[in-house]
Amino acid sequence: MSALRSWMNNRWMIPAVSGLLIITALVILQVSRIDTVGNIVMVAAAVVADTRIVMNAARALRAKFIGIDLLVSVAAIGAVIIGQYWEAAAVTFLFAIGHALETATLNKTRSALAALVAVAPDVAIVLRDGEQVDVSAGAVIMGETVLVKNGAKVPVDGEVTGGTGALDEASITGESMPVEKMIGDRVFAGTVSRSGFLQVRATGVGADTTLARIIHRVEDAQGAKAKTQVFMDRFSAWYTPAIMILALVVGVLTGDVVLALTLLVIGCPGALVISIPVSMVAGIGRAAKDGILIKGGEFLETSARITVVAVDKTGTLTMGRPRVTDVIVLDRSMTREQVLTWAGRAEAGSEHPLARAILDAAVSEGFSVTGLPESTEPVPGKGIAVNTAGRRILIGNLALLTQYGISHTAAAARVADELAQAGRTPMIVAVDYTVAGVVGVADEVRPDAAQMVTNLHAAGVKRVIMLTGDAPLVANAIGSITGADEIRGSLLPEDKLNVVTALQAEGHIVAMVGDGVNDAPALATANIGVAMGAAGSAVAVETADIALMGDNLLKLPEAISLARRTVNNMRQNITIAVVTVSLLLLGVLLGGMTMSIGMLVHEASVLIVIINAMRLLRRHGRDTSVIPADSMAFATLSSTVMSSAEHKPSD
């Protein structure tokens, strides 16, 4: 019984029954001298195929919408009334089989969402009272320890508290290579263990996981409409009634009811209506598979027109993890250890982004920097002045030394200039009004930064601009490595906003890539705001126009390229739809175009449009997870920089 019910609900049931009745009617009409029985069976075939179409048309009318179903229903019923039984059966049968094919192929375009839902884990193994307990993934309690064995799906978002292993994170970031995980690393629900054994403390469960947010985001994005689609919906709302009026006028003027009904069938805008949403769904789905979340059709359409990409340096073009690269001693009475120790003690009370790098360097070398300074005085734009252990410590730039009346700074200025030209941020250290040395700090340039700029140009972006708060010398050094077209240094957050608005005033469509904190004003103002490494940020997933789930910079040009291909695909589909309708109307005017042939061509055009859109689901070009060896620019830079050996002062 269940098998019969399943078959009755199958999308192919109505076309199959209608087709069988049509074949039966044709056989009867061939072998019998009486046409009545054959005609009755033919009408039955039309009724079977047309019943659901009429019901859909009635529902649309109740919603005050005149759609394609109404055109087909009127044409089929009219054909039966005037005795065109074969035309009525053929039109409804072809429409029914076309609808089944459309449903099947449209489901393919939503395959990315289906794949995301499929990777959602069902069960979890948790430790409760020292025992391993199998529970549903949604029943895991925040803070519980979850065990992830080799081959199992990670059921929660969490932090590794024990063990090591490799996880396939393709469902989240789109990267194909497994990622090694160890204590302290983050893991995401839906990823798959390829080796090892992990103990994970749950920090996100159920609907609060990254995977759940991605699924929700893709659902919303695939349902959102682009501006072109909104226009097309308005157009079809006028077009369909216009076709009905045209058919009525033609029927009245010519007295040819068959011609009027043929116009109804031929004028169906099916391919035109579906041309845009099917491309959007396929494009957004392909992006989701590659770890790129696009907020909706409007943003995908805008991304295809991007002419300028503005990129924040820290955490985007660079790794966002500054480290000490040089400790240069300028006072003969001091050692390298003393310079770094005094710098570390001074920075212990600082909120500066580079303070952590100096503290980490001092601690890693075993130097004592415990405790806080007695007083810390930040000097905006210059550095800090600190009293600690009975000594007065200054750490900052030359302007800070000048403000506090320190002389003999020529050597410090020379070294600071050399470091800045090499891409380091120099921090001059003075102890008791004597220049002790200079500490160089650098944030490693991402190995794929230069390739990203090249790929952006290949994707059609005219200018790539690097924005940073670093001094011009440091900014120029980093910018030259990446190959950015323009470099803007010494920028405050409001300055970055001004750069974006100025570019927009010039007529550019601007994408801004940043970390979403100090770049928030520029990100919000840009035509497209892009967040990198969004897998660990619920806010970025929900709010960014484009969220790159991983830290792979090459996903940005990939997203823009996909957007352009999607918009081109939409234009191709619109062209196919318009040309098809035009040729059909020409066929009617020249004569010889029947309702059944018109419906066959119409359904063929719909399928061509869908199949064309499905091309977007294929991966395009080479795998962006592979970084060319020649883009490892930081290694090249490192070889040009002075060593951290002690330099003798030179006056």
Side-chain angles (χ1 to χ4, degrees), residues 12-328:
W12 296 105
M13 187 270 292
I14 288 177
V17 173
S18 179
L20 184 60
L21 289 172
I22 288 175
I23 293 172
T24 303
L26 291 174
V27 171
I28 293 173
L29 290 170
Q30 286 294 323
V31 302
S32 174
R33 295 181 179 179
I34 304 173
D35 292 344
T36 305
V37 176
N39 290 337
I40 291 173
V41 177
M42 194 69 79
V43 171
V47 170
V48 168
D50 199 34
T51 300
R52 183 174 291 178
I53 302 171
V54 171
M55 292 171 63
N56 291 338
R59 280 194 292 268
L61 281 175
R62 283 197 295 270
K64 297 180 180 179
F65 177 75
I66 299 175
I68 301 168
D69 293 290
L70 182 61
L71 296 182
V72 176
S73 299
V74 172
I77 293 169
V80 170
I81 291 172
I82 64 174
Q84 297 285 332
Y85 307 124
W86 155 250
E87 293 288 354
V91 165
T92 52
F93 167 73
L94 289 170
F95 189 80
I97 201 169
H99 179 72
L101 285 169
E102 289 168 34
T103 304
T105 48
L106 276 172
N107 287 341
K108 291 283 187 181
T109 64
R110 294 187 178 272
S111 59
L113 184 57
L116 285 172
V117 173
V119 301
D122 299 319
V123 296
I125 302 174
V126 298
L127 281 180
R128 290 180 179 172
D129 298 326
E131 295 185 3
Q132 297 185 23
V133 181
D134 290 349
V135 300
S136 67
V140 178
I141 300 171
M142 292 281 283
E144 279 193 310
T145 297
V146 177
L147 305 182
V148 181
K149 302 178 180 180
N150 184 22
K153 291 179 183 178
V154 179
V156 296
D157 283 3
E159 180 181 332
V160 177
T161 58
T164 60
L167 297 183
D168 180 352
E169 296 186 333
S171 59
I172 301 297
T173 66
E175 302 296 338
S176 57
M177 297 298 294
V179 180
E180 293 292 332
K181 297 292 182 181
M182 57 187 66
I183 294 175
D185 288 342
R186 299 189 67 175
V187 299
F188 305 105
T191 56
V192 181
S193 174
R194 295 305 182 197
S195 66
F197 177 80
L198 298 174
Q199 299 175 44
V200 176
R201 179 175 60 83
T203 59
V205 299
D208 195 36
T209 63
T210 298
L211 178 63
R213 286 191 289 270
I214 292 174
I215 292 172
H216 174 70
R217 175 69 178 267
V218 175
E219 284 177 334
D220 288 347
Q222 289 188 335
K225 294 183 178 181
K227 290 181 180 178
T228 307
Q229 185 180 345
V230 172
F231 167 78
M232 202 60 70
D233 288 346
R234 291 175 181 169
F235 172 77
S236 63
W238 288 95
Y239 174 84
T240 308
I243 287 293
M244 296 189 72
I245 294 171
L246 175 63
L248 179 62
V249 171
V250 169
V252 171
L253 293 178
T254 64
D256 190 340
V257 178
V258 174
L259 177 62
L261 295 177
T262 303
L263 277 174
L264 283 180
V265 172
I266 286 173
C268 288
L272 197 60
V273 170
I274 206 172
S275 59
I276 296 171
V278 71
S279 296
M280 284 294 176
V281 167
I284 290 171
R286 176 69 261 175
K289 280 187 176 181
D290 293 336
I292 302 166
L293 295 188
I294 301 175
K295 199 170 187 178
E298 179 181 350
F299 301 97
L300 188 146
E301 206 170 31
T302 302
S303 298
R305 298 186 291 115
I306 290 172
T307 56
V308 174
V309 172
V311 188
D312 177 52
K313 178 187 76 69
T314 305
T316 305
L317 291 177
T318 62
M319 302 298 288
R321 295 188 295 272
R323 60 186 179 85
V324 171
T325 56
D326 306 85
V327 179
I328 300 162

Side-chain angles (χ1 to χ4, degrees), residues 627-633:
I627 309 302
D630 60 4
S631 70
M632 303 295 286

Side-chain angles (χ1 to χ4, degrees), residues 487-503:
I487 301 155
R488 310 280 183 93
S490 300
L491 299 179
L492 297 172
E494 55 267 30
D495 296 325
K496 295 179 183 180
L497 170 62
N498 292 337
V499 170
V500 171
T501 54
L503 289 168

